[in-house]
Amino acid sequence: GDRVALLCSTRYEWNVIDFAIWAVGGVTVPVYDSSSADQIRWIMEDSSARLIIVEKDTHAALAREGVEGLSPAPAVAVIDGDSPVIDALIAEGADIDESVLDTRRASVRADSPATLIYTSGTTGRPKGCMLTHRNFMSETLAVLETPFKSYLRDDATTVMFLPLAHVLARAITYAGFHAGVTIAHSSDIANLVDTFGEMRPHYILAVPRVFQKVFTKAQATAQDGGAFKAWMFEKATGTAVAYSKARQAGRIGPVLKLRHALFSKLVYGKLVAALGGRCEIAISGGAALGERLTHFFDGIGVNIFEGYGLTETCAAITVNTPGNLRIGSVGQPLPGCAVRLATDGEVEVSGPVVATGYWQNEKATAESFSGGWFRTGDLGSIDEDGYLRITGRKKEIIVTAGGKNVAPAQLEDALRADPLIAEAVCVGDGKPFVSVLLTLDPEALERWKTQNGKTGSLYELLKDATMIQHLDQALTAANRAVSHTESIKKYHVLPDQFTEETGELTASLKVKRNVVHQKYASQIEALYA
């Protein structure tokens, strides 16, 4: 029952230590390796963790700063320090009789806590979500009861590179472990393509940002190759999307089939090779991927299956699966799970993967959990075949001065599909219309300047007619998805990126809207002056 915190990037030792904690009846408390001393302190204090195991000496210094003054003071151990913790633990445990471990393991039941995962904290102090061994085992067995079982098998390989502090990475790791998959670990995101080439994964788990970067990099490479290559990539993209949509509709014309075959040889093969050459499927979670990007990858031969879940549902509770794919949706409920809509459209979920509540927080538990159902805070719709679509976040709904309810997620996802736009945050609560704050991707901006023969600072570029036209077109494209009263009328480009360090992003890269609204209050007001 003792809690042990684990602050470490994605690597082999993460899982070894996680399983070791479980084997002695302990509870793992993951901490993102990018956490500040204040964030570490809150988690250690709230969980009453006895020990924190960190990756490096720099993390140890931060952890000691964070736990200073706590009573009793938690111990700090280091994986890559002068006295590697795993070696030390093996030495210290040498005289422990096997029967002690057997007793410890036998004391753990299905409903014993397995982990406390602290939620992102987009709306306040992070809450410790208490997941049990039943939750994780139910998630693992449910995933392996779907058609994914033919991909998660003992002769398959995958590369896990998402943070294991996030429930999605852990749940899919456990499913792969249970199925006998060879799991390689990497935290070197910058050189993922090289890692894919070395390990040649059969399937990968990623967040939308990874797939967007693969696409954007391929697009940039084509544009750098001159006008003809840029034109060809644009045509290949359109063909892939059209091919995917036609296949989903059940009718692929002969001309489209011919164009697709041509681009498969000239363009698509290189993108498939970038994923290692034998990637059969990809699973995307953490945020919405966007229909066009999903259709694109589907059209080049890499099926991306989107699912939906939260920390409180032990990762996925609905998912698209091979043979049951409806692009634009987040799939159907996993075996043993159920989804329903409240009268206001809020998605409510139930099943053995759903958490029992929040650690030492009865008020928050009562607000979200009732009668075996968890109120997700997300808004959605369910079609006649049981496929769920997420349309927005209940607390993020913008109500304009005219009383129009606007879900910003759809508009923001559409804007982020533009290669220049890094982040988009819609505003307009109580205002006459919807506006948006934008940040631009620095690398994409440099390429845009080269391609368009532009120089100067961001401030100067925002007065440039070509840049204005580009951003206006991006807004027009996003607004096509909504009615006129819901559409974005104005935008403001911020000079700086959103980062975890500056407070606008959580460790799982979700935007903290309240921070953005407070930090850029004057810019927001200026949009309505």
Side-chain angles (χ1 to χ4, degrees), residues 6 25 36 44 47 93-94 103 141 223 228 239 304 311 332-333 343 371 448 454 482 510:
L6 179 53
S36 67
M44 296 299 289
S47 68
T103 302
L141 295 179
Q223 290 170 345
F228 176 72
T239 298
I304 301 179
T311 304
Q332 299 166 309
T343 52
W448 185 90
K454 305 291 181 181
V482 297
K510 293 186 181 75

Side-chain angles (χ1 to χ4, degrees), residues 165-445:
H166 194 282
V167 70
L168 177 62
R170 260 173 105 189
I172 297 300
T173 293
Y174 296 152
F177 183 86
H178 191 77
V181 174
T182 299
I183 303 172
H185 301 80
S186 175
S187 57
D188 186 5
I189 304 296
N191 295 303
L192 264 184
V193 172
D194 293 339
T195 306
F196 289 155
E198 182 186 351
M199 297 308 304
R200 303 188 66 226
H202 291 87
Y203 69 89
I204 61 170
L205 171 71
V207 291
R209 188 169 290 206
V210 172
F211 297 113
Q212 183 68 58
K213 281 193 175 293
V214 169
F215 175 81
T216 303
K217 189 173 182 181
Q219 185 182 49
T221 302
Q223 290 170 345
D224 291 344
F228 176 72
K229 284 192 175 180
W231 173 85
M232 189 164 72
F233 186 84
E234 187 180 336
K235 292 296 180 185
T237 299
T239 298
V241 171
Y243 187 85
S244 172
K245 288 181 176 178
R247 183 165 58 189
Q248 188 165 298
R251 52 180 186 276
I252 303 172
V255 175
L256 181 58
K257 193 177 285 186
L258 189 65
R259 276 184 14 226
H260 184 266
L262 174 66
F263 287 126
S264 290
K265 290 182 179 179
L266 297 175
V267 179
Y268 306 151
K270 294 172 184 174
L271 281 162
V272 174
L275 296 174
R278 63 178 184 185
C279 184
E280 298 168 344
I281 60 166
I283 302 167
S284 178
L289 179 60
E291 285 193 40
R292 183 171 172 79
L293 202 58
T294 312
H295 277 301
F296 170 75
F297 277 99
D298 180 61
I300 71 170
V302 177
N303 292 131
I304 301 179
F305 296 94
E306 278 195 277
Y308 167 74
L310 306 95
T311 304
E312 291 87 347
T313 64
C314 204
I317 194 162
T318 70
V319 68
N320 283 288
T321 59
N324 297 289
L325 170 64
R326 190 158 294 179
I327 293 174
S329 81
V330 288
Q332 299 166 309
L334 283 172
C337 299
V339 177
R340 71 184 185 187
L341 299 180
T343 52
D344 62 355
E346 182 176 4
V347 178
E348 298 182 345
V349 296
S350 177
V353 301
V354 177
T356 52
Y358 299 112
W359 174 253
Q360 297 180 338
N361 194 333
E362 291 181 12
K363 182 176 181 289
T365 299
E367 287 172 356
S368 299
F369 298 85
S370 177
W373 290 86
F374 170 64
R375 293 185 280 270
T376 65
D378 288 314
L379 301 171
S381 63
I382 301 172
D383 68 18
E384 65 280 2
D385 296 317
Y387 287 86
L388 175 68
R389 290 175 185 264
I390 300 298
T391 55
R393 185 85 183 144
K394 195 173 174 180
K395 289 181 180 177
E396 292 172 1
I397 292 294
I398 294 169
V399 183
T400 65
K404 186 67 181 176
N405 284 16
V406 181
Q410 188 176 12
L411 288 162
E412 291 164 354
D413 290 341
L415 284 167
R416 282 192 293 264
D418 184 283
L420 263 186
I421 297 172
E423 289 292 350
V425 176
C426 288
V427 297
D429 213 37
K431 303 296 184 183
F433 53 83
V434 178
S435 298
V436 67
L437 299 176
L438 303 173
T439 65
L440 303 187
D441 183 280
E443 290 180 22
L445 184 60

